[in-house]
Each structure stands twice: as C-alpha cells, then as structure tokens.
Amino acid sequence: MTTRSKAVSALLTCGPTPADEILHAVRAEGAAAVPALIGLLEEHTRNPSRQPAEFAAKHAGELLGELRPVEAIEPMIALLAATTWESQAHESVGAALPEWGEQALEPVLAAYARAKDVGTRDTFAAVLAELGVEDERIFAILEKDFDHHPALGAANLSNYGDVRGLPILERAIETYDLNDKRMDGVFVLDELVETYRDLATTLPPAVQSRVDELRLEWKRAHTPVSVTKVGRNDPCPCGSGKKSKKCCDGKAAS
C-alpha cells in the first residue's frame, strides 16, 4: 500500500473544495506525491459510490493534470470507464487527461475501442477531441459518433478544429428535425451554428437561410396566441356592424 503524506491524506477529508494550503503542500511534494495521488484515483475506481473518495479523486485528477506523470494515464482511463459524467471525479479526470496530448493518444484510442457502452465511448471521444493531436482515427470516431449525439458531436468537432467537420454540420442543419426530442427544440441547432462559426466564422447563405427558417418555425409554434377580449358594447368581430351583445355574444349567451 502506498504511503500517503499528510497533505495527500488531507484530500480525503477536505470535501469538494480543498483549502489552498493543502493544494500548495501537495504541489510542493511534486513527483513524490504521484503514487499516492494515483492511489486516490484507484480507490474511487474500485468503489465509485463512496463520496469522500470521489472528492479526493477529483482533486487528485486536477493535481495529476498539472504534474502529468505518464504512469497516471491508465489509472485515469480506468476511472473514466468505471464512472459516469455525474461524478465530480469523472469530470475532473476527463478535463485533465487531454493535458498529456500525444502521450495519451494510443491509450485513449484503445479505451474507446474496448468500451462497451455509448456513454463511455462518448467520454473517450471527447478526450480524443481535446488532445490537440491531428490523427485520422480521431476524426473518423468523431464523424461516426456525431449523429447519435449531435450536441456533444458538435462540441467535439469544435474542440478538434478540423474544417472537414463543416459538411457534417451542414448536413445536420439541413436535416434538423424540430420534433426530434434529442434536439431539445432549437438548443442543439444553436450548438451546431456556434460550432460552424468556430470552424468557418460565417455560415454560407443557404445554411443561414435554413437556420432562419427553423428558428421562425419554432417561434411560430411556441408563441402564445393572443386573444383580444371583446366588450359587450363593442362592435362584433364578425363584421355585422352590430354590438357584440346584440350579435354573436348574445347568441352564445342564449
């Protein structure tokens, strides 16, 4: 069992927000703290439901992201595979792992390939998109996975930064279905448009026209119909020239 220093041990009891002096003390240990920090990741991986270990793993992931020891890559991958996005440790490690860049490429590609559920594959696809590494295998994954989760797919294309993503976005906008629950109205449309602008600054006229059409359609479908109250002494809206009480309103009351 790895011996923990007082500073690293304090991560187990400090809750979701450690004091600055604790973080400073762990950083001061440098490479000497790495085995114990990895141990915190492994403890949470073995028992993801135990909350103190979750917070400790969260802080360990952030600190390891600063130190970047190669030996932390596989334990971080194992934690991501064992947890879901609701876990603070999962979020922390997922954000830190791209710091390894090309060193993490092959291990994360292998983790993606062996992942058995969509959520885990989504996690590793997001990490791959943020590695800052150009690799055809990454782009192939982002292209293949785009349709089943367009919002995440758009974010991944934006993070990867390859203009070959533009036709994928154009197709998604052209075929956008406001009735598809996955699209959450125009929420995903906004994500697609933002990503397109990230990659190409402006939308082509045909794409912009489709976006405007979809937004107008959504607005029309969700704008409440205003009903003007007609007084009994007002002219009847049917156009007869009679007062409402002597015409349609009177008929409804009789």
Side-chain angles (χ1 to χ4, degrees):
M1 181 176 176
T2 302
T3 302
R4 294 179 183 136
S5 66
K6 183 178 178 181
V8 174
S9 296
L11 295 175
L12 280 164
T13 57
C14 66
T17 308
D20 288 342
E21 55 265 30
I22 295 175
L23 297 177
H24 179 73
V26 177
R27 290 185 181 114
E29 293 180 21
V34 167
L37 292 173
I38 291 175
L40 294 178
L41 298 184
E42 292 171 337
E43 185 173 332
H44 184 54
T45 300
R46 288 191 297 270
N47 191 358
S49 63
R50 187 163 169 260
Q51 196 168 71
E54 176 186 344
F55 293 141
K58 170 184 181 290
H59 309 319
E62 293 167 352
L63 290 161
L64 288 166
E66 296 175 18
L67 296 168
R68 276 178 252 173
V70 175
E71 62 268 33
I73 294 175
E74 290 295 350
M76 295 179 95
I77 287 173
L79 184 145
L80 291 176
T83 58
T84 62
W85 62 270
E86 293 97 341
S87 161
Q88 292 191 39
H90 184 98
E91 182 181 0
S92 168
V93 169
L97 190 51
E99 295 294 330
W100 276 259
E102 192 150 3
Q103 288 181 305
L105 175 61
E106 297 302 333
V108 178
L109 282 170
Y112 176 91
R114 65 176 177 262
K116 300 191 184 310
D117 64 276
V118 171
T120 304
R121 287 196 295 273
D122 283 345
T123 291
F124 291 125
V127 172
L128 288 167
E130 294 190 70
L131 286 179
V133 177
E134 291 185 18
D135 190 289
E136 287 302 310
R137 293 169 295 176
I138 297 177
F139 185 77
I141 286 170
L142 303 186
E143 184 176 30
K144 177 173 71 71
D145 289 354
F146 180 89
D147 288 334
H148 82 84
H149 200 321
L152 178 60
N156 287 343
L157 287 174
S158 177
N159 290 330
Y160 189 61
D162 192 322
V163 294
R164 288 180 300 167
L166 294 174
I168 299 172
L169 296 166
E170 287 184 20
R171 182 183 73 247
I173 293 171
E174 179 60 35
T175 60
Y176 198 88
D177 183 359
L178 290 170
N179 296 315
D180 187 337
K181 291 182 180 179
R182 295 178 308 152
M183 301 306 182
D184 196 13
V186 291
F187 171 76
V188 175
L189 178 66
D190 292 340
E191 295 290 313
L192 297 174
V193 170
E194 184 177 345
T195 298
Y196 200 104
R197 288 180 174 146
D198 286 344
L199 297 177
T201 307
T202 58
L203 276 66
V207 178
Q208 183 65 62
S209 177
R210 174 60 176 160
V211 170
D212 294 342
E213 174 189 317
L214 287 163
R215 286 178 174 159
L216 181 58
E217 182 182 342
W218 178 256
K219 184 178 180 181
R220 283 174 177 163
H222 292 82
T223 300
V225 177
S226 60
V227 178
T228 302
K229 185 173 176 60
V230 179
R232 285 176 55 77
N233 290 314
D234 292 336
C236 186
C238 75
S240 67
K242 299 178 183 179
K243 291 184 178 181
S244 179
K245 66 181 179 182
K246 296 288 187 181
C247 192
C248 295
D249 191 45
K251 292 174 186 176
S254 59

